[in-house]
Amino acid sequence: MFQKFLGGKTAVVTGSNSGIGLGIAHELARAGADLVLNSFTDAPEDHALAESLAAEHGVKVRYIQADMSKGAECRALIEKAGACDILVNNAGIQHVAPIPDFPAEKWDAIIAINLSSAFHTTAVALPLMREAGWGRVINIASAHGLTASEYKSAYVAAKHGIVGLTKVTALETAKEPITCNAICPGYVLTPIVEKQIPDQMKTHNLSREDVIAKVMLHRQPSGQFATVEQMGGTAVFLCSPAAEQITGTTISVDGGWTAL
Ligand code: NAD
């Protein structure tokens, strides 16, 4: 249904050399969008990944290194991209610890990467979208943007914050052909989740299988991980004409977690 309708548009996806960002990049490219991939690394594999997506989908793909923990680099990413019809604020990290033990530098890094980066990229992207006469801002929040879990203070605060930023961005663009929404994934088995498993095993004194079943998917009534392809499909939908009047809201892709 959505074949190539994004031809001629450029999508910038932050944190897109793995996981959900990469999944979204694939689906936007499948729908015809040219891509700017990003992460903080500048490895040969990052550039090879850009070449392989370009070859697979027949679109233009660039890889631009920028550290999303630094405001100036967030802004430079969009400036270097030159065009940004679709902005997907996806870069994110996680740290799990009780508040008294939560390292202050982890708090600062999570707020910077998971929240402030979206403010900086949006600030530079909106004028480009206005010039182009069309734009989509898609913030990757989380079920943790709508509800909380213990030991994830910084992450839950940042994700609630990005839901707030989504609403303000939508109000400031409401009269224009620009929308801003947040996708709220439940658990998706990507590296960010893999990395939490050992900490959760230690914190809850559980096996890997029990952390997955009792701590993670226990929250997800479907009993299944959501997939990166489902996040990509939701992003493509938000770029489609059917979504023109959808702005300032959250779309949960969480197997029923936030219905609990
Ligand atoms: P991931 O670890 O696979 O991907 C994170 C991406 O962010 C990577 O490409 C990484 O290189 C990039 N990144 C990290 N620090 C960066 C920095 N300083 N500058 C630039 N890029 C940086 O994890 P993921 O699961 O794909 O997470 C993507 C987004 O989805 C995050 O915002 C995360 O909070 C959100 N999310 C994930 C889940 C899940 O279950 N996986 C659930 C809800 C929300």
Side-chain angles (χ1 to χ4, degrees), residues 16-223:
S16 45
N17 66 351
S18 103
I20 291 173
L22 181 56
I24 290 174
H26 267 289
E27 296 312 314
L28 290 173
R30 207 184 305 286
D34 294 326
L35 296 174
V36 172
L37 300 180
N38 153 264
S39 183
F40 59 93
T41 51
D42 197 12
E45 304 85 73
D46 296 322
H47 296 276
L49 182 65
E51 280 173 30
S52 85
L53 257 81
E56 183 176 342
H57 300 292
V59 296
K60 289 184 213 138
V61 185
R62 284 176 290 159
Y63 178 84
I64 301 180
Q65 184 270 342
D67 182 346
M68 293 294 107
S69 70
K70 301 189 168 74
E73 293 196 26
C74 298
R75 288 170 183 264
L77 168 67
I78 307 300
E79 279 156 12
K80 285 183 195 160
C84 183
D85 305 295
I86 301 161
L87 170 62
V88 183
N89 287 307
N90 167 79
I93 59 167
Q94 174 63 285
H95 187 78
V96 179
I99 292 171
D101 305 330
F102 207 96
E105 63 276 13
K106 290 281 185 199
W107 170 277
D108 290 343
I110 290 174
I111 299 299
I113 296 168
N114 297 22
L115 175 58
S116 302
S117 68
F119 160 70
H120 293 295
T121 54
T122 303
V124 183
L126 286 182
L128 296 177
M129 292 177 181
R130 288 181 170 132
E131 208 176 299
W134 188 91
R136 294 287 178 267
V137 181
I138 301 172
N139 293 325
I140 306 307
S142 168
H144 283 118
L146 303 168
T147 185
S149 294
E150 59 277 61
Y151 313 130
K152 295 188 176 179
S153 53
Y155 188 84
V156 169
K159 293 300 186 180
H160 276 66
I162 205 164
V163 169
L165 176 66
T166 300
K167 293 177 185 177
V168 176
T169 307
L171 291 180
E172 291 189 13
T173 55
K175 294 262 189 295
E176 305 170 76
I178 296 171
T179 68
C180 178
N181 294 287
I183 298 176
C184 293
Y187 275 106
V188 184
L189 195 52
T190 63
I192 205 174
V193 169
E194 273 296 342
K195 278 182 231 150
Q196 287 173 56
I197 294 175
D199 282 348
Q200 295 277 23
M201 286 167 65
K202 215 162 65 185
T203 307
H204 297 280
N205 197 21
L206 291 173
S207 68
R208 176 186 164 86
E209 292 66 34
D210 280 349
V211 164
I212 290 175
K214 294 181 181 159
V215 179
M216 296 178 163
L217 297 184
H218 155 73
R219 296 304 250 312
Q220 221 146 283
S222 66

